[in-house]
Amino acid sequence: MDQNNSIPAFQGLASPQGAMTPGVPIFSPMMPYGSGLTPQPVQNTNSLSILEEQQRQQQQQQAQQANAGLPGTSGQTPQLYHSQTVAGSTTTALPGNTPLYNTPLTPMTPITPATPASESSGIVPQLQNIVSTVNLGCKLDLKTIALRARNAEYNPKRFAAVIMRIREPRTTALIFSSGKMVCTGAKSEEQSRLAARKYARVVQKLGFPAKFLDFKIQNMVGSCDVKFPIRLEGLVLTHQQFSSYEPELFPGLIYRMIKPRIVLLIFVSGKVVLTGAKVRAEIYEAFENIYPILKGFRKTT
Amino acid sequence: MASTSRGDALALPRVTCPNHPDAILVEDYRAGDMICPECGLVVGDRVIDVGSEWRTFSNEKALKDPSRVGDAQNPLLNGGDLTTMISKGTGAASFDEFGNSKYQNRRTMSSSDRAMLNAFKEISTMADRINLPRNIIDRTNNLFKQVYEQKSLKGRANDAIASACLYIACRQEGVPRTFKEICAVSRISKKEIGRCFKLILKALETSVDLITTGDFMSRFCSNLGLPKQVQMAATFIARKAVELDLVPGRSPISVAAAAIYMASQASAEKKTQKEIGDIAGVADVTIRQSYRLIYPRAAELFPPDFKFDTPVDKLPQL
């Protein structure tokens, strides 16, 4: 838990869903400027408002601690994901500001949407797909697997792997003769792991000495809706080095965020698809980074 | 005395004026002299002129190029090509006893640039099919040369890179062509051209402006044979529709096609959706979709001084 001002990156939050620690949030007075790699919204850089924000966040965070526990459900997300400081830490980097700004101006209520400075969106991206790989640790005979297993298809002329599906969790696996397996379609990390184990058990029951080595999540896809239409032309003008918007090729804007390294597909309707993450936190962080920018390009009509 | 002053594109000779060593010498190509601009001293003389031998008035090669020393050197594009090729030979003496031609070896010419020259030829052919002017072709050649030298897209087919460079050049010159129009003159699929396009923008670290509906109006309307008033009306309708955000998320080409349809249906020259779809490269269901979006507010979209042949309420409703 660093209060390290040399890394002024704007990190929204770590992993709210069933995570133990709040991660490494870095809270810096330089937050609105950020590093060049993290997209920054055009904000008013009045330091007074920033300090006020910090103050309010601290108070909410203390109020939150009084509630105790990480709910982990989307119902309470507006408070949870707003916290910028680590639980228990109340130091900000600015010296001597506490007595000045602890005024009745900052109520101990959840965030009001009126402030222009950074605040949480209150929207949590939902995970739609998780791709993971695992090594079963032994060579497999795909023909016997295809013949004896249920819900397996194998067409060596088309693709050199057995495609197996299970109903619960609804996933698809590609099983290769080297013993490596790719599992796709799960909606959460635990489900992906569980599904991979089920496939490994199926292979084991067919007589192969299957193990469960090196399970790794390779890609996570999430999607969410910001609930307002977006001016993609404006976004591509200002964030030219990250965005690619070619209506002839694809109706959405492809935003390649550098930190974290996530690709976002942003559509006119306000729907956003985030992909390329290895951990859930990256998806949340990316969305928290992009949300203020999208708000700046909201269609006004 | 007409003097041309070459910039730094050609290497300056190492001679300098003895009195003014840092004066940039001015080259007089007609007399073959290098002249000091400060004192007028002729410093180098009998400089070989690398321009073309005499003026030829056709841009491309005539049947017989009368130049005896070859084309004008194009230093920007080739690698300073100073090789000699032995040509096929005329007359009986060039054939040996078996009927094969002597001096068969005429193949080795700048093998490193051969692919580039092929690509330039391909670019020229493609551009000629859609009647693109010289400046776009030159820009395309330059882009291709930059991409080729960078080698970051080395694995891709040269034709695909050439097509994508042509697309980018048209965009940069302010007269964008749709991907489908480039596809029509190239053997590469739209998907591959699109991929190469994005890769080239990344490799050259440039960007292009977003396309607008107005970029295509003059071309589509003149291909359809619509008069100027209809073209201006269609331009106005498309711009107004985008401003009023009646067609969010639609490709500008589709909106332009729908605007042309509405304008032509309101005028004396009515065109069907199929005809417009053929010219614009848009499916007629797409035109129908976009038309349905702009139809409800058709009255506001027309320019105020438009002469209606068919009034707004009689416009077809699909």
Side-chain angles (χ1 to χ4, degrees), chain A residues 219-222 261-265 273-277 283:
Chain A
N219 186 27
M220 301 172 79
V221 181
R261 214 163 75 89
I262 301 278
V263 175
L264 299 91
L265 305 176
V273 173
L274 308 95
T275 182
I283 298 228

Side-chain angles (χ1 to χ4, degrees), chain A residues 101-174:
Chain A
Y101 292 104
N102 210 348
T103 62
L105 281 176
T106 58
M108 308 261 290
T109 53
I111 309 138
T112 51
T115 54
S118 55
E119 59 180 48
S120 103
S121 53
I123 305 172
V124 184
Q126 299 304 312
L127 290 183
Q128 302 291 346
N129 184 24
I130 302 205
V131 177
S132 56
T133 54
V134 71
N135 187 0
L136 300 176
C138 62
K139 293 264 175 290
L140 304 174
D141 180 17
L142 297 185
K143 203 147 164 235
T144 46
I145 295 179
L147 285 171
R148 293 170 54 196
R150 286 188 217 138
N151 301 322
E153 54 184 82
Y154 178 45
N155 191 350
K157 280 190 286 202
R158 203 157 54 107
F159 191 57
V162 166
I163 302 166
M164 197 184 292
R165 297 186 168 87
I166 57 175
R167 266 180 279 254
E168 176 57 48
R170 188 173 286 279
T171 48
T172 303
L174 306 172

Side-chain angles (χ1 to χ4, degrees), chain B residues 72-144:
Chain B
Q73 186 187 46
N74 197 346
L76 299 173
L77 296 184
N78 286 339
D81 169 49
L82 291 172
T83 59
T84 301
M85 269 175 31
I86 299 176
S87 69
K88 212 157 85 76
T90 56
S94 66
F95 294 99
D96 62 9
E97 56 233 20
F98 295 111
N100 303 324
S101 51
K102 294 183 193 169
Y103 298 117
Q104 286 150 339
N105 187 10
R106 49 186 287 263
R107 274 176 297 259
T108 52
M109 64 161 268
S110 63
S111 54
S112 65
D113 293 330
R114 192 198 316 275
M116 207 155 74
L117 281 177
N118 262 341
F120 292 157
K121 191 156 168 300
E122 189 62 36
I123 288 171
S124 178
T125 314
M126 284 197 295
D128 184 59
R129 290 195 189 116
I130 40 178
N131 301 319
L132 289 175
R134 190 75 221 163
N135 60 338
I136 293 186
I137 300 179
D138 288 340
R139 195 181 268 266
T140 311
N141 286 345
N142 271 321
L143 284 171
F144 187 88

